[in-house]
Amino acid sequence: MSEEESIELQAIIKNAIEEDIGDGDHSSKACIPDDATGKAKLIIKEDCVIAGLDVAELIFRTLDSRLVINKKCKDGDVMKEGEVAFIIEGNQRSILKAERLVLNTIQRMSAIATNTDRFNQQLKDTNTKVLDTRKTTPGIRLLEKMAVTIGGGKNHRKGLYDMIMLKDNHIDYAGGISKAIQKTNDYLNENDKNLKIVVEARSLQEVDEILENKPVERILLDNFTPQETKIAVDKINGKCDTESSGGISVKTARDYAKCGVDYISSGALTHHVDNIDMSLKAVE
């Protein structure tokens, strides 16, 4: 993790703690002595690829540096129903303060990692890699993109600032593909920016037009059928990278990979998941 990402992660945790705790955990203060100590274990309640353990450890440490976590697995491990992911020990009030934030984080990240792993299983024996998108939960994009990598996927751009992606609306507003690419290259040259350019194609004819303009790092084949994708990949013939997107599911991912695309991007990795069921239970 870069220093910039580490700072962002700490800010996410700080904001989440302030959101949840406010002026104090009055439920715990009301009935638990401030010096009481104990243990709790995280129980996995459905099979998954676990993710978020390192983030959880940072949450515990942020709330109370004296808490001790004994991890029984690591991020990216396949976990079975009934297994214990970690045991946390220390001040009971601190454990309870962290409980919901830790669960929310690990449940969400594990769901995304598990979903990503399902895509990866379909891409075995191919050269295609699965990418995430910007279809993430506002405020926690970093966590969700971390979960994708833990599940074996690749991160697309982080935001609007680290890659040029000319999609349908950009192209229409700019007056067409050629104009959009030309204006973009002029902009990059004038502002001394070195950003990769990805251009969306909505038809085989647009693929041809994109190939007439350089430089383009990748052509995004949006809502193409597998048959159209194979034709497009043959047209492109390695002149630039290829990416398939648009409603591609776990069931159809392999059909597109077999066409020879370099990447498949799916917003469903992050926005179409159900949190993995887990619970943090006190150890007697």
Side-chain angles (χ1 to χ4, degrees):
M1 181 183 298
S2 67
E3 182 179 355
E4 182 182 77
E5 289 172 333
S6 178
I7 293 171
E8 182 181 351
L9 177 57
Q10 291 169 359
I12 289 172
I13 291 172
K14 179 177 180 292
N15 289 337
I17 289 172
E18 290 177 353
E19 174 186 62
D20 200 35
I21 296 177
D23 69 346
D25 174 11
H26 301 299
S27 302
S28 297
K29 286 182 175 181
C31 61
I32 297 173
D34 62 3
D35 60 350
T37 59
K39 298 180 181 181
K41 58 184 178 181
L42 182 69
I43 303 170
I44 307 301
K45 301 176 76 173
E46 59 180 302
D47 296 355
C48 67
V49 173
I50 195 160
L53 293 175
D54 291 345
V55 178
E57 184 173 9
L58 184 55
I59 292 170
F60 282 126
R61 193 185 310 132
T62 300
L63 279 166
D64 186 344
S65 61
R66 297 166 298 175
L67 291 174
V68 177
I69 184 170
N70 179 13
K71 289 186 278 190
K72 305 296 184 180
C73 57
K74 64 183 185 301
D75 282 336
D77 284 351
V78 176
M79 301 293 290
K80 300 295 183 182
E81 179 183 354
E83 290 185 323
V84 174
F86 65 73
I87 296 175
I88 186 72
E89 182 176 1
N91 183 271
Q92 291 179 359
R93 286 190 183 180
S94 297
I95 292 172
L96 290 170
K97 280 182 184 178
E99 177 182 6
R100 179 44 53 195
L101 178 53
V102 164
L103 281 171
N104 286 350
T105 299
I106 298 182
Q107 287 178 301
R108 179 70 179 172
M109 291 183 68
S110 296
I112 292 170
T114 302
N115 199 28
T116 304
D117 180 66
R118 293 191 187 110
F119 267 84
N120 266 338
Q121 296 305 315
Q122 297 302 312
L123 303 182
K124 281 185 175 180
D125 306 318
T126 74
N127 293 319
T128 305
K129 299 176 177 62
V130 63
L131 297 171
D132 56 22
T133 70
R134 286 169 51 240
K135 296 177 182 177
T136 54
T137 307
I140 59 169
R141 177 174 292 172
L142 175 64
L143 298 183
E144 296 187 341
K145 283 185 171 282
M146 286 172 60
V148 168
T149 61
I150 291 169
K154 300 289 184 181
N155 293 152
H156 212 304
R157 54 180 177 165
K158 296 177 182 178
L160 293 171
Y161 55 88
D162 62 339
M163 180 184 286
I164 297 286
M165 183 177 287
L166 303 177
K167 301 195 72 176
D168 52 356
N169 285 335
H170 298 93
I171 291 166
D172 291 341
Y173 282 159
I177 285 174
S178 295
K179 288 184 179 179
I181 296 174
Q182 290 164 9
K183 289 177 180 178
T184 296
N185 280 309
D186 289 343
Y187 170 83
L188 293 175
N189 290 331
E190 291 166 4
N191 291 276
D192 195 26
K193 288 189 174 295
N194 182 25
L195 297 175
K196 294 178 179 179
I197 302 174
V198 179
V199 184
E200 179 182 292
R202 295 166 285 188
S203 67
L204 291 169
Q205 290 73 27
E206 289 192 343
V207 170
D208 290 330
E209 186 175 356
I210 295 169
L211 290 172
E212 293 172 359
N213 292 271
K214 296 179 181 179
V216 170
E217 176 77 16
R218 188 187 311 161
I219 296 179
L220 172 60
L221 307 171
D222 190 52
N223 287 305
F224 279 45
T225 66
Q227 294 76 18
E228 291 169 333
T229 301
K230 182 64 172 68
I231 295 171
V233 169
D234 290 343
K235 276 178 175 285
I236 296 165
N237 194 28
K239 296 181 180 71
C240 61
D241 289 342
T242 53
E243 175 186 340
S244 287
S245 72
I248 300 174
S249 67
V250 171
K251 292 181 179 179
T252 61
R254 189 166 184 83
D255 294 333
Y256 286 89
K258 287 164 65 177
C259 296
V261 293
D262 297 295
Y263 303 99
I264 291 173
S265 58
S266 174
L269 292 181
T270 52
H271 77 68
H272 196 66
V273 293
D274 293 322
N275 285 359
I276 299 296
D277 193 12
M278 305 176 184
S279 60
L280 189 67
K281 293 296 183 183
V283 176
E284 299 294 336

